[in-house]
Amino acid sequence: MVTNLSMSNKFKTCIIINILASISFLYAMIFHNKWFAMEEGQILTEAEAIMSYGKVLYKDIDCFVSPGVWYLTAILFKVFGVGLNLTRLVMAILFSLTVVLVYLISSTAMTKRYAVFAASMMFIQKVLVFPLGIFIN
């Protein structure tokens, strides 16, 4: 009986994680494509300059957030080719993983209902926080 109960809890947790990941992925894709006019061009142009012309951050390019944004984008361009949809897809995947991680961490300290609420707060964060809400981080 105890085994069935733990399997039931694991199954519920998997369902919650899949729902959170799916909703957050769709939210991120729609968010970038339809809702807000955002400046993605600067990151993409400068990442291409790093990849194609050997530009160096803080020397040739002015950075206003951590350098990981530019280097990750440059690596993606090097591997998959230059494209706006590529960076939006990766951003949506990273956002989904972040929402799931917030849920998993929260669920160790609180009930599932509050953990879902904590993960749901990431949707508000995406709208309010700049630049975390619009760039790959």
Side-chain angles (χ1 to χ4, degrees):
M1 193 74 167
V2 174
T3 308
N4 290 338
L5 182 61
S6 67
M7 287 300 285
S8 175
N9 283 337
K10 287 180 182 179
F11 183 71
K12 287 178 185 176
T13 300
C14 286
I15 287 177
I16 290 170
I17 288 171
N18 284 322
I19 289 170
L20 282 172
S22 299
I23 291 171
S24 60
F25 179 82
L26 291 173
Y27 174 77
M29 291 302 287
I30 292 169
F31 183 89
H32 273 277
N33 196 30
K34 302 290 182 199
W35 288 0
F36 297 99
M38 297 180 204
E39 179 49 52
E40 295 171 299
Q42 180 182 5
I43 297 290
L44 301 178
T45 302
E46 292 174 351
E48 187 177 17
I50 291 168
M51 179 194 70
S52 299
Y53 306 111
K55 299 276 185 169
V56 177
L57 290 177
Y58 304 111
K59 177 183 171 203
D60 303 319
I61 299 172
D62 182 31
C63 293
F64 58 92
V65 294
S66 67
V69 174
W70 281 270
Y71 288 125
L72 177 59
T73 306
I75 290 168
L76 289 171
F77 285 172
K78 190 78 163 174
V79 174
F80 298 106
V82 177
L84 178 62
N85 289 331
L86 169 69
T87 58
R88 287 181 177 176
L89 178 66
V90 171
M91 175 277 315
I93 291 168
L94 292 176
F95 179 70
S96 296
L97 291 174
T98 302
V99 170
V100 168
L101 186 62
V102 167
Y103 170 77
L104 290 173
I105 292 170
S106 299
S107 67
T108 63
M110 55 186 78
T111 65
K112 286 186 193 284
R113 180 176 291 162
Y114 287 117
V116 168
F117 176 76
S120 300
M121 290 294 97
M122 294 299 295
F123 294 95
I124 294 172
Q125 175 270 349
K126 186 148 191 68
V127 175
L128 298 178
V129 177
F130 177 82
L132 295 177
I134 62 171
F135 297 126
I136 299 172
N137 274 338

